[in-house]
Amino acid sequence: ISEPDINPRKIELPDEGSMEYEFNVEVRPQFDVPEYKGLAITRPLREFSDDDVERQLELFLSEHGTLMSREEPARPGDYITTDVAFFNGDQEVNRRDELTLRLQPILRFHDGNIEKFDRSMKGVKAGDVKKLKVKISREAMNEELRGNELEAVFEVKEVKSLQLPELTRPFLERFGCETSEEMRGAVRRALERRLEYEQRSSARKQVIEKLVNVKEWDLPEGIMRRQARVALSHRVMEMRRSGFGEAEIRAREAHLWQNSLESTRQTLAEHFMLDRIAETEKVEIEPSDIEEEIRLLAAQAGESPRRTRARLQKDNLMDDLSTQILERKAIDCILEYAEYEDVPFEEEDLTQVEAVAEHASGDVPEELEAEDESEATSDDESEATSDDESEATSDEGTEEKESS
């Protein structure tokens, strides 16, 4: 399940005779597939109202809005551009400059939260400094700071408000719609896909709990750390396919990072079990499955399927896409034999969370840091030749909304 742990440059060739060397490689666990037919599964259900659609449409539009600089003090819901430094006592452990953050009740990093963030920052203006506490997760990448409380020092550079885009024809056409009603129909379908995602996620968790005791699986922390990024990429891609907005995805992704060991253990157990069940049920992936998956991802991003495919290939995510489809089909096989009990769907309110794709404690393992640098270099080279550069324009005096 990973590349061999070997450095070819350190292999010494003998002057004569045969050569022997050893290396470690992570492999799939061996286990018997338990009976998975006839499981009792609870299934969350919900009917979406017109009000639900309007709220989701506003969230969608907020991701494509324009940030306008304002002189007045910040209010909850406004945005700030800020530098932030993190201190453990007197020692600075991390610093991030020019972050754009929305003032929401919770500010969530990959390894910790700041509660009541909107109240704490209410009334700030350019030049103000605020000191807040951030509690670091017990599964943070920086082992020395796990469970600690850091001080986050915010130096506010600018206060901004969000202007939502109007549903003009050019804007609607970016997402394959001609009228505002078509856009609302697309939003409703996205909500229904999200419900399907929640149903599958709930079913996956219940199936694994019934079929295997995950805590008994002997998965060393080193393996889970190395697999964490792959596991998270699967989750993120599935959420994009299911119609989640980027702000909601960041919030869920940060939560998974904060519990990365447990969530990765769960995800790996799900993957190994579903892979075996797919093999038993002779599940196959058709080219049309790949095309439909890319179409849904493209529609959610407001880009062409060709561009989405190119991005997935550049990021080496096509295999992840196939794995995701295989696991979904395996879940479908299990659910065909399941006995259901319908329960009301209660969704986590992620509109109260502003998530930042950063580790407050700052220390990322070298192997993950190297991957990040490689991906960043690849992204820079790709953007330099992007055929969509001409779209990245904005009016004078305004700033396109940046992703945190």
Side-chain angles (χ1 to χ4, degrees), residues 162-224:
L162 178 66
Q163 180 178 315
L164 297 180
E166 297 182 4
L167 296 179
T168 60
R169 190 176 184 85
F171 179 82
L172 292 170
E173 287 178 346
R174 284 177 57 189
F175 302 95
C177 301
E178 294 185 359
T179 67
S180 59
E181 288 309 307
E182 283 190 19
M183 173 64 80
R184 288 180 171 82
V187 170
R188 184 180 293 277
R189 289 190 294 275
L191 285 172
E192 291 167 352
R193 290 202 307 276
R194 288 172 55 160
L195 178 59
E196 291 176 5
Y197 169 86
E198 298 293 352
Q199 290 172 338
R200 291 179 188 278
S201 296
S202 175
R204 286 173 66 118
K205 184 176 181 180
Q206 293 176 71
V207 165
I208 297 305
E209 288 175 349
K210 293 175 184 294
L211 297 184
V212 63
N213 185 349
V214 175
K215 293 182 179 179
E216 292 181 354
W217 286 40
D218 184 18
L219 297 176
E221 181 173 332
I223 291 178
M224 290 191 289

Side-chain angles (χ1 to χ4, degrees), residues 32-49:
D32 295 325
V33 179
E35 179 56 54
Y36 55 85
K37 296 181 180 180
L39 297 177
I41 301 291
T42 59
R43 177 173 56 186
L45 288 180
R46 177 178 176 179
E47 292 289 334
F48 293 106
S49 67

